[in-house]
């Protein structure tokens, strides 16, 4: 197959997979979850708040805040849940953004996307469906790549709906517009794309939706544990100053696992770094050991992103190689 024909086939496969995803119930479930978050943001109201000059906070009456004095009022769900805060209004908005960026989208959103899309490929690789698809004069690796890109594009659209929707809703309600929050769209999409490549490999190996769901979620948690363990090894001397040094083999093993596997925690830290959310207590970057890694400038986002994407490419190559040997 020549290059123009391959590109045409790839575009068709991506578009066909994307359209199938749009007509599935997964689309409406994910859209509904994004809608709930957007409505939540529309129900947020912030009044008052402290003012900052240099490193000191001042109450609205001009007096410096020496302690946790209440200066602002935050209401959630259209006034049903009022509370108070003692920081700048912009910092309070950053607190809410950190919840959406770090936990709702960065953790629960990626896991929900992996679970929701886990059945797309196994269904198309079943003998009945695959016999029709693979009978076309298109290389199997191209079919797999088109399916993969179609699902990634679908999740990218869902990420755009979530981030743009919550950004607009919170901006309208608080008059705080953090444009860098929208960096969550490409970061979440890349985060998902790396781990979905492993789902593709599981789909080719087992052709089972349940195997893809369980395997992908377990793999994400394993990678998160390896990511956290390596960061712990980096700052072990800070967290345990009186303890014995870690064995060299343990440090080496944590480094090898870190650089070979995807790094889910690092994807979340990248977004928090872009938003300058490190001082917000609800962020991942405020928790040990990640906080100490950031403080010591040992976080390498570009290298982390590159090696995670290399893993995704390897998983797709392995899946395509195995699919080429299967008999239908």
């Amino acid at each position: 197959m020549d290059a123009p024909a391959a590109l045409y086939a790839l575009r068709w496969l991506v578009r066909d997979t994307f359209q199938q995803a749009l007509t599935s119930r997964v689309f409406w479930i994910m859209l509904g979850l994004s809608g709930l978050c957007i409505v939540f943001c529309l129900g947020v109201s912030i009044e008052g708040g402290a003012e900052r000059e240099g490193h000191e906070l001042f109450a609205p009456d001009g007096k410096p805040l020496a302690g946790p004095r209440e200066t602002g009022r935050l209401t959630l769900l259209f006034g049903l849940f009022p509370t108070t805060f003692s920081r700048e209004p912009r910092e309070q908005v950053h607190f809410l953004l950190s919840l959406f960026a770090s936990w709702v989208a960065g953790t629960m959103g990626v896991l929900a996307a992996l679970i929701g899309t886990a059945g797309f490929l196994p269904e198309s690789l079943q003998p009945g469906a695959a016999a029709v698809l693979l009978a076309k004069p298109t290389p199997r690796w191209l079919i797999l790549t088109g399916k993969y890109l179609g699902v990634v594009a679908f999740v990218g659209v869902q990420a755009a709906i979530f981030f743009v929707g919550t950004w607009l809703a919170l901006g309208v309600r608080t008059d705080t517009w953090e444009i860098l929050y929208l960096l969550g769209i490409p970061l979440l999409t890349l985060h998902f794309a790396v781990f979905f490549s492993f789902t593709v490999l599981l789909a080719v190996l087992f052709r089972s939706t349940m195997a893809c769901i369980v395997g992908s979620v377990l793999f994400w948690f394993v990678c998160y544990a390896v990511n956290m363990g390596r960061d712990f090894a980096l700052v072990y001397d800070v967290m345990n100053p009186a303890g014995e040094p870690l064995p060299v083999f343990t440090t080496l093993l944590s480094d090898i696992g870190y650089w070979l596997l995807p790094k889910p925690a690092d994807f979340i830290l990248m977004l928090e770094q872009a938003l300058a959310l490190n001082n917000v207590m609800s962020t991942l970057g405020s928790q040990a050991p990640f906080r100490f890694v950031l403080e010591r400038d040992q976080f390498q986002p570009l290298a982390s992103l590159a090696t995670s994407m290399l893993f995704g490419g390897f998983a797709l190559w392995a899946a395509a190689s195995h699919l080429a040997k299967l008999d239908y």
Side-chain angles (χ1 to χ4, degrees):
M1 178 178 286
D2 56 16
L7 287 175
Y8 175 81
L10 184 63
R11 287 198 302 268
W12 182 87
L13 286 163
V14 172
R15 183 174 64 250
D16 181 66
T17 304
F18 184 80
Q19 290 175 346
Q20 289 179 8
L22 290 179
T23 58
S24 68
R25 60 182 179 181
V26 175
F27 169 76
W28 297 106
I29 292 173
M30 296 179 71
L31 187 64
L33 294 174
S34 295
L36 288 175
C37 293
I38 292 170
V39 171
F40 176 86
C41 291
L42 287 173
V44 172
S45 177
I46 293 179
E47 299 175 0
E51 298 179 2
R52 183 181 295 277
E53 292 185 13
H55 296 285
E56 194 169 10
L57 287 174
F58 290 84
D61 57 8
K63 296 180 179 180
L65 290 177
R69 179 177 166 188
E70 298 170 357
T71 60
R73 178 181 175 85
L74 169 71
T75 58
L76 305 175
L77 296 178
F78 303 96
L80 290 179
F81 297 97
T83 185
T84 57
F85 62 91
S86 57
R87 53 165 68 102
E88 281 189 296
R90 187 170 178 269
E91 292 177 343
Q92 188 65 26
V93 175
H94 271 206
F95 170 77
L96 296 174
L97 289 176
S98 72
L99 293 177
F100 285 112
S102 299
W103 307 114
V104 178
T107 301
M108 293 184 291
V110 170
L111 290 174
L114 287 172
I115 293 171
T117 59
F120 286 179
L121 273 172
E123 292 174 2
S124 64
L125 293 177
Q126 294 300 325
V132 177
L133 185 63
L134 300 180
K136 300 176 182 179
T138 305
R140 291 187 179 186
W141 68 266
L142 192 62
I143 293 174
L144 198 66
T145 302
K147 291 285 185 181
Y148 168 80
L149 293 177
V151 175
V152 171
F154 167 72
V155 172
V157 169
Q158 292 287 349
I161 292 172
F162 174 86
F163 278 96
V164 173
T166 52
W167 177 71
L168 286 174
L170 205 55
V172 168
R173 293 296 295 170
T174 65
D175 198 30
T176 300
W177 303 91
E178 295 294 342
I179 192 66
L180 292 177
Y181 176 69
L182 299 182
L183 285 174
I185 299 172
L187 283 174
L188 186 144
T189 305
L190 284 173
H191 188 167
F192 170 81
V194 169
F195 282 93
F196 187 66
S197 66
F198 185 75
T199 305
V200 172
L201 179 59
L202 292 176
V204 172
L205 290 174
F206 301 105
R207 284 175 275 181
S208 165
T209 298
M210 186 55 64
C212 290
I213 292 175
V214 175
S216 298
V217 172
L218 284 178
F219 182 65
W220 189 94
F221 279 105
V222 168
C223 291
Y224 187 94
V226 171
N227 194 167
M228 186 174 185
R230 187 263 185 173
D231 284 3
F232 176 81
L234 280 180
V235 296
Y236 178 80
D237 59 324
V238 178
M239 298 183 65
N240 296 275
E244 292 290 331
L246 284 177
V248 175
F249 178 75
T250 301
T251 304
L252 178 63
L253 196 63
S254 67
D255 265 338
I256 292 174
Y258 174 81
W259 290 115
L260 289 180
L261 294 175
K263 304 151 191 69
D266 284 4
F267 277 101
I268 300 172
L269 290 174
M270 288 177 208
L271 181 56
E272 293 179 355
Q273 287 276 286
L275 281 168
L277 294 176
N278 297 333
N279 294 324
V280 182
M281 291 305 296
S282 62
T283 60
L284 187 65
S286 66
Q287 314 299 319
F290 306 110
R291 176 166 57 89
F292 296 108
V293 169
L294 293 172
E295 289 175 354
R296 297 175 68 171
D297 293 325
Q298 292 178 304
F299 180 50
Q300 301 173 281
L302 293 180
S304 172
L305 184 62
T307 51
S308 294
M309 293 175 66
L310 279 175
F311 175 89
F314 173 78
L316 287 177
W317 171 82
S321 298
H322 186 74
L323 182 62
K325 301 173 185 176
L326 288 178
D327 292 327
Y328 281 93

